[in-house]
Amino acid sequence: MSRFADRVAIVTGAGAPDGIGAAVAGQLVGDGASVVLGATSDRIHDRAAELGDSAVGVVSDLTTEAGAEALLQAALNRWGRVDILVNNAGMTSVASGWDADGDVAALSLAQWEATISRNLTTAFLMCRAVVPVMASAGYGRIVTVGSTTGTVNAMPGQSGYTAATAGLVGFSRALALAIVGNGVTVNVVAPGYIST
């Protein structure tokens, strides 16, 4: 029997065909899970189609409460449950085309807020949406994809991203303590650079 048979997962930030989110979603489906894939672009439908009937893609802005709720409702409407959440949505300042992040005086408030929102607020909103459902069921696994940048490798030129990913660690620790005893675990993985 597959290790995730009958489990339902939500994976955010799964739109890039060669990114971490798409790889995680593919592994979950391969191990028997049904998966809701979330991203901000229509290409998420292509990722879901590649995975077959066990996957559905949802275009959603996870920096909003409505966006997080849309992913939750997609899972509940199709499969009636959520067992796993993989918070993978995020961005670096470099990926956004900003070259001023290293100079705090040149970093605009809008750039700072966008980086915090896309990396930290998205995880908060998704956790806030799914935790009551998981706690009610007595089971849940939350895995947040952070970065070595936020743990051991702070980088010049990435002050907003470093702050946001460090915040993911603190938020996850606090959440894990807040929901202990409900059958829901919370963890952060912190990869370094990948090829994309």
Side-chain angles (χ1 to χ4, degrees):
M1 177 177 278
S2 299
R3 63 181 170 158
F4 294 122
D6 301 321
R7 296 296 188 192
V8 175
I10 295 173
V11 180
T12 69
D18 50 2
I20 292 173
V24 169
Q27 186 69 50
L28 285 166
V29 168
D31 284 341
S34 299
V35 181
V36 173
L37 292 81
T40 56
S41 77
D42 287 339
R43 67 184 176 186
I44 197 63
H45 299 302
D46 296 332
R47 300 292 76 73
E50 291 167 2
L51 297 176
D53 292 338
S54 294
V56 61
V58 177
V59 177
S60 183
D61 178 0
L62 297 181
T63 65
T64 68
E65 293 173 315
E69 188 64 24
L71 287 185
L72 172 62
Q73 289 306 314
L76 295 178
N77 291 342
R78 179 122 181 216
W79 293 291
R81 59 189 295 158
V82 177
D83 303 296
I84 301 163
L85 168 63
V86 179
N87 285 312
N88 179 65
M91 67 173 192
T92 65
S93 301
V94 171
S96 303
W98 302 332
D99 58 8
D101 195 16
D103 182 354
V104 173
L107 181 63
S108 74
L109 179 59
Q111 290 169 333
W112 171 268
E113 289 179 339
T115 304
I116 299 298
S117 183
R118 287 283 298 275
N119 290 283
L120 183 54
T121 304
T122 56
F124 160 69
L125 291 173
M126 282 307 308
C127 288
R128 193 177 70 174
V130 304
V131 163
V133 175
M134 291 177 170
S136 177
Y139 178 90
R141 300 294 180 259
I142 297 172
V143 178
T144 296
V145 179
S147 171
T148 56
T149 303
T151 54
V152 296
N153 249 355
M155 294 172 49
Q158 292 293 309
S159 58
Y161 182 69
T162 299
T165 54
L168 287 171
V169 174
F171 169 69
S172 297
R173 286 177 172 159
L175 178 60
L177 293 172
I179 60 176
V180 69
N182 287 322
V184 182
T185 62
V186 183
N187 290 281
V188 177
V189 295
Y193 285 108
I194 65 168
S195 60
T196 57

